[in-house]
Amino acid sequence: MTDKPFRILALNGSPRGRKSNTDILLKAFLEGAATQGASSETLYATDLEIRDCLGCFACWTKTPGVCVHKDDMPRILEKILASDLTIWATPLYHYGMTARLKRILERTLPLAKPWFVRKGEHYTHPPRYPEHTTRNFLLSNCGFPERHHFDALVREFELLANGDDEHFLGSLLCTTGELLHVPEMRETLSWYFDAVRTAGAEIVTSLGLSPETAEILRRPLISVESFVLMGNAHWNVPGDTPPSAEEALGPDRTCS
């Protein structure tokens, strides 16, 4: 590490804001980063006025680098450029990021120039400020018990990075995320939160997660069968009946 503090900008795109499972996960990660001297700032999409990108390309032609909208996005772009790492934190909504976070992502268009340039095997747009290009990290949780539900979201960030491992440092993906805010589960999940803090420390010192930490973070918080039955029992829907264990798990599965 250098004498210069490692600066992290975290963008929490959850509509639940400070009361979200995303924020629980994010805070643990940033706690770990702080142990290695990193400074961090979290911006909540719920606090921000961010308008939709109009696709007018004025930020490329009429006012290069400057959007026509007068909202909170200019200061966010300044913070992105000033950070060493931007964390894109979001719950999984319909296999992608929330609309609030996507709006912020789309409004980063002024950070690129309009030209087509070949990079590796693909064409992309060159950065407007190559000397200030920030690294990116994805942090997400979902209500599903299986990791493949994150595939589309992760692929989007991989495409944005155009295969540049220095631009996209990876992801921390938590299945069965609704368990994160259950007080009775805190002690049971202490091993997982310890691993999240370790991940935050490693991202500062190594710009990536060690294979050991990544393996721990891939472990299920509880068994899939237990979570499915617990989740189904949680919902109280007037006039509707939850599926039986056999209907939910399938005839060849039992709760372990």
Side-chain angles (χ1 to χ4, degrees):
M1 293 180 60
T2 65
D3 294 334
K4 182 181 177 182
F6 192 89
R7 297 160 299 181
I8 299 175
L9 173 66
L11 299 169
N12 186 335
S14 174
R16 299 182 188 177
R18 293 168 180 80
K19 296 181 180 180
S20 63
N21 298 317
T22 300
D23 210 46
I24 293 173
L25 200 61
L26 178 60
K27 284 180 177 176
F29 187 88
L30 294 177
E31 286 172 6
T35 66
Q36 302 304 311
S39 63
S40 65
E41 178 182 9
T42 300
L43 299 180
Y44 295 88
T46 51
D47 296 341
L48 302 171
E49 180 192 357
I50 308 293
R51 299 177 184 173
D52 291 329
C53 176
L54 298 176
C56 66
F57 298 111
C59 63
W60 280 0
T61 56
K62 295 182 180 179
T63 54
V66 179
C67 181
V68 296
H69 286 313
K70 306 302 179 185
D71 55 13
D72 289 326
M73 198 62 207
R75 70 182 179 94
I76 296 176
L77 294 180
E78 290 178 2
K79 292 178 183 293
I80 289 175
L81 291 173
S83 69
D84 296 299
L85 175 69
T86 299
I87 299 177
W88 300 85
T90 178
L92 192 73
Y93 277 21
H94 289 256
Y95 303 100
M97 70 186 76
T98 63
R100 294 169 186 262
L101 192 63
K102 187 62 160 60
R103 186 178 292 116
I104 295 174
L105 180 62
E106 290 178 358
R107 289 286 304 283
T108 62
L109 191 65
L111 299 182
K113 291 184 177 181
W115 326 118
F116 292 115
V117 293
R118 190 180 182 97
K119 184 177 181 181
E121 298 299 318
H122 307 282
Y123 286 92
T124 186
H125 299 296
R128 185 173 300 279
Y129 310 104
E131 70 279 13
H132 296 299
T133 301
T134 184
R135 306 173 184 92
N136 296 278
F137 188 81
L138 170 64
L139 184 147
S140 185
N141 76 102
C142 74
F144 285 109
E146 301 155 308
R147 293 182 62 82
H148 74 265
H149 294 280
F150 291 110
D151 288 354
L153 177 61
V154 173
R155 184 58 180 151
E156 180 169 9
F157 278 88
E158 291 174 344
L159 290 169
L160 288 168
N162 196 35
D164 188 344
D165 291 339
E166 293 185 1
H167 187 64
F168 179 44
L169 301 186
S171 55
L172 193 161
L173 311 171
C174 178
T175 57
T176 64
E178 285 296 323
L179 298 176
L180 297 175
H181 75 273
V182 179
E184 294 80 6
M185 294 292 297
R186 293 293 291 191
E187 184 175 350
T188 302
L189 299 181
S190 60
W191 63 271
Y192 184 78
F193 284 104
D194 287 344
V196 173
R197 295 184 187 95
T198 298
E202 289 179 350
I203 208 72
V204 176
T205 58
S206 306
L207 299 181
L209 307 187
S210 68
E212 295 78 14
T213 299
E215 190 279 327
I216 294 173
L217 291 171
R218 282 193 293 268
R219 297 173 186 170
L221 303 188
I222 62 174
S223 74
V224 170
E225 293 81 7
S226 295
F227 178 77
V228 168
L229 297 182
M230 184 188 305
N232 286 351
H234 167 76
W235 294 104
N236 182 19
V237 183
D240 216 341
T241 304
S244 66
E246 184 179 43
E247 290 171 331
L249 303 177
D252 58 338
R253 302 293 294 272
T254 58
C255 182
S256 58

